[in-house]
Amino acid sequence: MPDPNGFLRYERQLPKRRPVPVRIRDWREVYPPAGEELIRDQATRCMDCGIPFCHEGCPLGNRIPDWNDLVRTGAWQAASEALHATNNFPEFTGRLCPAPCEAACVLGISDDPVTIKQVEVEIANHAFDLGYVTPQPAPAASGFKVAVVGSGPAGLAAAQQLARAGHAVTVFERDDRIGGLLRYGIPDFKIEKSVVDARLDQLRAEGVEFQTGVNVGVDITADDLRERFDAVLLAAGALAGRDTPETRGRRLNGVHLAMEHLVPSNRVVAGLQETTPIDAAGKHVVIIGGGDTGADCLGVAHRQGAAGVIQLDQYPLPPEARAADLHPWPTWPVILRNYPAHEEGGDRVFGVAVQEFVDDGAGNVKAIRVAEVMVERVDGVRTVTIVEGTERDLPADLVLLAIGFEGTEQQPLLDQFAITRNRRGVLDADATWQTSAEGVFVAGDMHKGASLIVWAIAEGRSAAAAIHSYLGAKGDLPAPVLSNAQPLTA
């Protein structure tokens, strides 16, 4: 049984990050491996609650108290088995997920929550280091073939589940390498690509076939997929970046969507190209958007040698602790979230809106004009009011728009399947994860909209279960979420 006094004996503690002056000189991960004693102490803080709300916070339904107690006792292999029973890729989520499970931790009612995310990634690291992660090929082939379009976490999770059930799975990826945003959208200082490659080796050994450089809908058509496969899963993400085309000066040189900056930067780090067309070196950079993508741009700008970086957020400065009247436990709290990139430098400005990108007279951006705003929410409707007389200019040689995504890209494949994007720019699915096209399923951001990696994996697993059932295969696969499931929020 768990240690009933663990949370009294140990305070919440995370491993120290690599020193800022050192880490901004390379692209390696910010966190070094944690010491085993630290992780076992942190796992000991878990109370193994009678009703573990962390299960509700996590869409995968991870058996968190189980593997916390196994780590406490040093049973790393059993902990790995318990973790992998619900999560195909804990080494991804342990690095990249913002941990809604921690927001729902019962200990968080009156104390700091358990470091669930850190324990998770250390279990995954131990599993790879000690050889616990091995291929699990199906004992027999089912005779069915499934195509997966997109190789992000949703597509990969579905592919692995289906391959282990005996189906012949082919994953199609438009880029030249597998991984989706894991590969080219997220910088190496958050997840080194060797981590992704190690898991892909397992999938290949389990029989998953990968085809890169294939733009489905162009290089092969919907009719080709129907002829070759018994079912199709669309998991191509929600990569249509939100833009501000109406803002004066938007088309000036030096104003870019965030992904136009992040993708080539990742390719340079991977050694696939020598230079990036959008380099922050020596420039005054302004990042518009205060979320994960904005923080990614911030960390990249530091490592490229920016002269200075300012990150803008339209919302007012949030509180540092949960406001119980607005975001009661166990819902996801709106609080100030400091990413490792923020301690590396740069300034953050809250409660401002962009008024204009200022021209230097030669078609280049030289500044960004902002004004303070008042943000109010009445009956669930958010209104933003400009405060007159607060306009000011911020110097900017490079402006990066990191203000979210508008949904999945319009693409020929959707027209060929006669599937229409809904008003949110993503695809609808019925209770069986099937789109309006027979035998064509959808999962991940392409269905939910830009969301958390843990939701992508959960939807991939659930869509795989639905496809398995659709094919009439024997048995059931785990399905952690319904197609209409929503996160635990206020």
Side-chain angles (χ1 to χ4, degrees):
M1 64 175 290
D3 183 341
N5 298 312
F7 69 97
L8 297 174
R9 293 193 291 117
Y10 302 109
E11 296 181 349
R12 177 183 170 98
Q13 184 179 354
L14 292 171
K16 292 183 179 180
R17 299 167 182 141
R18 297 170 58 222
V20 170
V22 174
R23 72 183 193 234
I24 63 172
R25 298 173 66 88
D26 61 42
W27 296 88
R28 290 171 47 214
E29 290 183 12
V30 167
Y31 286 100
E36 184 167 329
E37 182 179 359
L38 170 64
I39 296 304
R40 290 178 66 170
D41 289 349
Q42 293 304 301
T44 301
R45 296 185 71 238
C46 178
M47 301 182 294
D48 194 11
C49 309
I51 302 178
F53 275 80
C54 55
H55 287 194
E56 294 301 316
C58 176
L60 282 167
N62 282 335
R63 293 152 48 186
I64 295 164
D66 291 3
W67 41 259
N68 270 328
D69 195 48
L70 291 166
V71 168
R72 179 185 70 86
T73 60
W76 290 98
Q77 184 167 5
S80 173
E81 292 171 358
L83 178 54
H84 281 94
T86 55
N87 186 351
N88 297 72
F89 314 126
E91 69 280 13
F92 301 166
T93 54
R95 286 171 167 83
L96 304 174
C97 181
C101 53
E102 293 187 16
C105 174
V106 173
L107 187 56
I109 296 175
S110 58
D111 199 349
D112 292 327
V114 175
T115 59
I116 299 170
K117 175 179 173 179
Q118 191 64 46
V119 175
E120 177 181 25
V121 76
E122 293 303 331
I123 295 173
N125 290 343
H126 274 71
F128 277 97
D129 292 343
L130 299 175
Y132 301 151
V133 178
T134 57
Q136 300 178 36
S142 69
F144 295 111
K145 297 180 180 180
V146 181
V148 176
V149 182
S151 69
L156 293 178
Q160 184 167 60
Q161 293 295 99
L162 291 165
R164 289 177 173 179
H167 308 307
V169 182
T170 301
V171 176
F172 296 96
E173 170 56 54
R174 181 174 56 183
D175 287 330
D176 56 355
R177 293 193 177 186
I178 296 295
L181 285 183
L182 290 170
R183 175 70 63 182
Y184 290 134
I186 300 175
D188 281 47
F189 55 79
K190 289 177 67 174
I191 182 168
E192 293 181 26
K193 300 311 176 276
S194 59
V195 175
V196 180
D197 292 335
R199 185 62 75 171
L200 293 178
D201 288 343
Q202 183 195 37
L203 268 69
R204 290 189 180 93
E206 292 172 348
V208 177
E209 179 185 348
F210 295 110
Q211 293 191 19
T212 58
V214 180
N215 188 354
V216 181
V218 177
D219 299 321
I220 60 174
T221 67
D223 288 340
D224 294 330
L225 293 179
R226 288 198 180 280
E227 181 179 347
R228 293 171 51 187
F229 298 95
D230 301 294
V232 177
L233 174 64
L234 304 180
L239 300 177
R242 184 170 289 121
D243 206 338
T244 59
E246 72 286 349
T247 303
R248 182 180 175 88
R250 167 61 184 91
R251 298 306 170 193
L252 291 174
N253 297 323
V255 183
H256 304 276
L257 294 176
M259 285 301 157
E260 296 171 352
H261 178 233
L262 294 175
V263 171
S265 169
N266 274 359
R267 292 184 62 84
V268 169
V269 173
L272 300 176
Q273 58 190 62
E274 292 186 2
T275 60
T276 172
I278 306 173
D279 197 328
K283 297 179 180 178
H284 294 281
V285 181
V286 175
I287 301 166
I288 303 174
D292 282 8
T293 304
D296 292 347
C297 292
L298 178 62
V300 170
H302 291 323
R303 285 158 179 77
Q304 290 180 340
V309 189
I310 298 175
Q311 187 175 9
L312 308 181
D313 195 322
Q314 187 178 68
Y315 293 97
L317 178 67
E320 293 189 3
R322 181 195 295 271
D325 56 334
L326 297 176
H327 308 284
W329 174 90
T331 61
W332 180 252
V334 175
I335 59 175
L336 179 63
R337 302 187 187 279
N338 293 306
Y339 297 87
H342 291 125
E343 70 180 10
E344 297 169 357
D347 297 314
R348 301 170 80 177
V349 180
F350 294 88
V352 295
V354 178
Q355 302 300 288
E356 180 182 352
F357 302 107
V358 182
D359 194 335
D360 70 348
N364 306 303
V365 65
K366 73 171 184 178
I368 183 169
R369 185 160 297 149
V370 300
E372 296 180 10
V373 298
M374 291 181 57
V375 180
E376 298 178 298
R377 187 176 293 274
V378 179
D379 296 330
V381 178
R382 181 171 62 91
T383 60
V384 179
T385 305
I386 302 296
V387 179
E388 296 296 333
T390 62
E391 293 85 358
R392 66 184 188 276
D393 288 0
L394 303 174
D397 307 306
L398 173 62
V399 178
L400 302 173
L401 304 179
I403 52 179
F405 298 87
E406 293 186 334
T408 196
E409 297 167 303
Q410 180 58 42
Q411 49 196 286
L413 183 64
L414 300 184
D415 294 331
Q416 293 166 15
F417 277 130
I419 300 174
T420 303
R421 296 182 299 170
N422 61 26
R423 61 182 181 81
R424 296 188 299 113
V426 292
L427 308 186
D428 291 322
D430 62 18
T432 67
W433 296 88
Q434 199 164 184
T435 68
S436 57
E438 172 69 23
V440 180
F441 299 76
V442 65
D445 289 0
M446 201 171 189
H447 164 249
K448 194 174 189 62
S451 186
L452 308 183
I453 185 172
V454 70
W455 272 99
I457 296 172
E459 291 214 348
R461 287 171 67 90
S462 299
I467 293 171
H468 183 76
S469 177
Y470 171 82
L471 296 174
K474 295 180 180 180
D476 297 318
L477 299 184
V481 293
L482 301 175
S483 61
N484 62 353
Q486 297 297 320
L488 186 62
T489 58

